[in-house]
Amino acid sequence: GNNGGTTASNVSGVGATGGGGGGAGGVGGNGTTSGPTPSYRSGAGGVGSPNSITGAAVFYAGGGGGGPYGNNPLGSGAGGNGGGGAGASTIDTAVAGTANTGGGAGGNTQCALGKNGGSGIVVVSAPGTKVASGVWSLQCQYNFKKQGTWTPSAPFSVDYLVVAGGGGGGGNHGGGGGAGGYRTSFPGGTKLTLSGGTSFPVTVGAGGAGSDTVGVQGNPSIFSTITSTGGGRGVNDGTGGNGGSGGGAGAAAPAVGGTGNSPPTSPPQG
């Protein structure tokens, strides 16, 4: 996961801009005090990462865009590709993160709540099948599959995609939520070796709630020994929250974005 974007404000505090939340594939954009009139632009959410474990390439874990200080249709931060919600362009128009992507939520304008982060997703791919959310028994899968597309051997290896819930956006010209942590073996990574006849719990993390001040960090997603951390919270004042990807800094004071890949994993959560 990548870091959230920083915020910027002029000397009087007017023209403050929220930073974008980090994404699995890129850092959150920084707020600036140059650009359209009024002369400020919020940071865009970091881009997510594509994955074709389900058969078609889909982007996951995009960061949420930062919110502007006031009504500024040209100054809102775009959501990162991968379910990141856009920051508000006018009063209370921020966009929530997209469900089942781990996208961070967009930051909102003053006098408005930040939006919620998108829920994560867990996909497990074994020969001939794809298995998604829930608590499931591999033995039951063996018994259910009669066409030979799932080979009942133990131990055996599976590919996985585990994306956590995205961070909630900050309100009152807040930063965007960071994307949920993104961990995968597909394509070309180290598969996970599992024993047959064993039940493995699958936890799909919910997105963090938005707030009029500090958003809530997203919830972790878990499959077997693989845990992805929820996206960092976007804030309205100060440093963005740490997480799978970092939340964007708030516009009420110059500050830095949250740290991604926190706690650290190898390979990184992003």
Side-chain angles (χ1 to χ4, degrees), residues 19-263:
V27 299
N30 296 333
T32 66
T33 52
S34 62
T37 302
S39 60
Y40 56 93
R41 182 180 293 277
S42 299
V47 66
S49 291
N51 196 293
S52 57
I53 192 171
T54 60
V58 177
F59 273 81
Y60 300 93
Y69 185 83
N71 289 340
N72 181 9
L74 298 178
S76 62
N81 191 5
S89 56
T90 55
I91 296 296
D92 199 18
T93 57
V95 178
T98 302
N100 301 322
T101 67
N108 224 330
T109 54
Q110 70 265 37
C111 304
L113 297 174
K115 300 301 182 180
N116 296 345
S119 58
I121 189 169
V122 174
V123 179
V124 180
S125 174
T129 190
K130 309 283 193 304
V131 182
S133 314
V135 177
W136 47 279
S137 165
L138 295 180
Q139 188 63 51
C140 289
Q141 294 293 325
Y142 295 162
N143 294 337
F144 182 76
K145 291 291 181 182
K146 303 298 184 182
Q147 293 77 28
T149 54
W150 183 300
T151 303
S153 59
F156 65 102
S157 297
V158 297
D159 278 308
Y160 61 86
L161 170 67
V162 180
V163 182
N172 285 306
H173 39 266
Y182 171 98
R183 300 185 68 184
T184 187
S185 65
F186 188 89
T190 302
K191 297 177 185 287
L192 188 63
T193 300
L194 305 174
S195 299
T198 303
S199 294
F200 293 90
V202 178
T203 301
V204 177
S211 170
D212 59 349
T213 55
V214 177
V216 176
Q217 182 175 4
N219 292 280
S221 289
I222 304 169
F223 170 66
S224 185
T225 59
I226 304 299
T227 298
S228 293
T229 306
R233 61 192 188 183
V235 302
N236 76 317
D237 186 358
T239 300
N242 300 338
S245 285
V256 298
T259 300
N261 191 36
S262 178

